[in-house]
Amino acid sequence: MTKEQVLSLLLQAKQPLSGEQMSRTLGVSRAAVWKAIGSLRLEGYTIEAATRRGYRLTACPSAPDALRIAQLLSGHPWCTHVRVLEQTDSTNNEIKRLAAAGAPEGTCVVALRQTAGRGRRGRSFLSPEGGLYMSVLLRPALRPEVLMPLTAMTAVAAMRAVEQASGLRPGIKWTNDLVVGRRKLCGILTELSIEAESQAVDYVVIGIGINCSPTQFPPELAEHVTDLQTQTGRATDRSLLAAKLLTGLYELEQALPEGKDAWLRVFSENCVTLGQAVSVVRGDQVRHGHADGIDENAALRVRYDDGSCETVSSGEVSVRGMYGYV
Ligand code: BTN
């Protein structure tokens, strides 16, 4: 526990932190802080110690590793369900194959790269080595309509995980991108399988892709994306990020359906789309307005320039000033 707390202090510190400062903040002995720093170094964190100035975290172990994720999740109900693959077509596809073979809830696939990563609306999601591509299987015993806010809640879980693992708190672009300033850091693709006869939920796949290090994106994308290393100045421990995502998704699952309002409040507080000029695109039709808020299912309330209002749960919403929309 102390180790995680020391790591969290170091991740958030803008300046070197002394052992004494950390022991006071955490209410533990200096020896406990020193031991935690030793364990973190053994795990691959580079922590520089400058005389009289204190400790500074300069590098983290980076690539996701199955053993390390299991270790970080030790004792968690889903700790034995994680697989790390060098490469796959899409971790969402991989989870669907495992779900069809009867895999349990909490099954998680992380890939170092994807050859056919998928985004929303049939788009592809570029997935070179250096990012985190992860999908998780849920089997909620709930009606499909109760799962409407799931994607928005996933954005909250992802935002928290990014902050815990990197020290950077991104914003949420409705409904499910994480952004830093005007640039996209993370995309989420939620897929639902429903039994045709009973209309009951068979399973849900939650797929999350996070840009972790600088990548050569095609020119049309390059100015609209960012990554954790560029933003924080150091590599993020992708095993820690994966573990935090998984524990966040577990909490999300436990929160459904009663606890969703608290999650949606956090969503609203961090949603950069709210209060902004937006355009809603449906086929050939484009309407301009303002994003006023979200409803109980995380649908976006838009007030159009002609005074009319609409709640948008599908269709493409662009925020002025983001991703090239001016
Ligand atoms: C989007 O931005 O449109 C959603 C992107 C979702 C990408 C993730 S990466 C892990 C998982 N596997 C996929 O093929 N897609 C999701």
Side-chain angles (χ1 to χ4, degrees), residues 1-9 11-12 40 43 45 64-66 68-74 76 78-79 82 108 110 132 134 136 153-168 170 178 206 208 210 228 236-253 263:
M1 192 58 185
T2 309
K3 188 177 71 181
E4 288 243 308
Q5 291 170 314
V6 167
L7 177 58
S8 160
L9 287 182
L11 277 168
Q12 277 161 44
L40 289 168
E43 286 177 21
Y45 291 90
D65 173 79
R68 195 167 140 61
I69 297 173
Q71 208 179 40
L72 288 162
L73 289 170
S74 152
H76 190 276
W78 292 349
C79 69
V82 184
C108 169
V110 175
L132 182 73
M134 168 171 160
V136 178
M153 292 169 76
T154 300
V156 171
M159 175 193 77
R160 288 174 169 154
V162 165
E163 186 177 25
Q164 288 161 350
S166 73
L168 173 82
L178 296 188
I206 297 183
I208 302 171
I210 301 179
L228 288 176
T236 292
D237 176 356
R238 281 175 284 162
S239 299
L240 180 63
L241 183 54
K244 294 290 182 193
L245 283 169
L246 199 66
T247 48
L249 293 177
Y250 178 80
E251 283 164 19
L252 176 163
E253 227 265 335
W263 283 68

Side-chain angles (χ1 to χ4, degrees), residues 89-92 114 116-120 125 127 132-135 177 184 186-189 207-209:
D89 54 348
S90 146
T91 53
N92 271 32
Q114 300 183 115
R118 293 189 292 111
R120 280 170 296 141
F125 187 79
S127 314
L132 182 73
Y133 314 107
M134 168 171 160
S135 300
D177 282 348
K184 176 164 170 168
C186 160
I188 296 166
L189 177 66
I208 302 171

Side-chain angles (χ1 to χ4, degrees), residues 152-313:
M153 292 169 76
T154 300
V156 171
M159 175 193 77
R160 288 174 169 154
V162 165
E163 186 177 25
Q164 288 161 350
S166 73
L168 173 82
R169 189 175 180 101
I172 301 172
K173 175 183 171 283
W174 185 87
T175 174
N176 55 358
D177 282 348
L178 296 188
V179 293
V180 182
R182 296 170 176 199
R183 292 170 177 259
K184 176 164 170 168
L185 177 75
C186 160
I188 296 166
L189 177 66
T190 308
E191 298 183 277
L192 194 64
S193 166
I194 297 176
E195 270 176 20
E197 277 164 28
S198 64
Q199 292 292 297
V201 174
D202 183 9
Y203 63 82
V204 178
V205 184
I206 297 183
I208 302 171
I210 301 179
N211 303 326
C212 295
S213 49
T215 299
Q216 281 253 291
F217 279 100
E220 67 277 14
L221 279 183
E223 57 178 315
H224 304 308
V225 293
T226 190
D227 61 271
L228 288 176
Q229 189 167 330
T230 301
Q231 293 296 330
T232 63
R234 64 183 160 233
T236 292
D237 176 356
R238 281 175 284 162
S239 299
L240 180 63
L241 183 54
K244 294 290 182 193
L245 283 169
L246 199 66
T247 48
L249 293 177
Y250 178 80
E251 283 164 19
L252 176 163
E253 227 265 335
Q254 303 287 303
L256 275 170
E258 284 85 12
K260 75 164 168 67
D261 292 347
W263 283 68
L264 293 186
R265 262 197 303 280
V266 179
F267 181 94
S268 288
E269 284 159 15
N270 291 279
C271 180
V272 298
T273 313
L274 301 186
Q276 299 293 314
V278 293
S279 70
V280 178
V281 183
R282 284 210 187 83
D284 291 342
Q285 202 201 11
V286 184
R287 297 190 74 191
H288 302 284
H290 264 82
D292 265 4
I294 57 160
D295 75 2
E296 68 284 0
N297 285 320
L300 190 69
R301 281 197 296 264
V302 178
R303 182 178 301 276
Y304 291 112
D305 295 348
D306 64 9
S308 64
C309 292
E310 188 187 19
T311 303
V312 186
S313 51

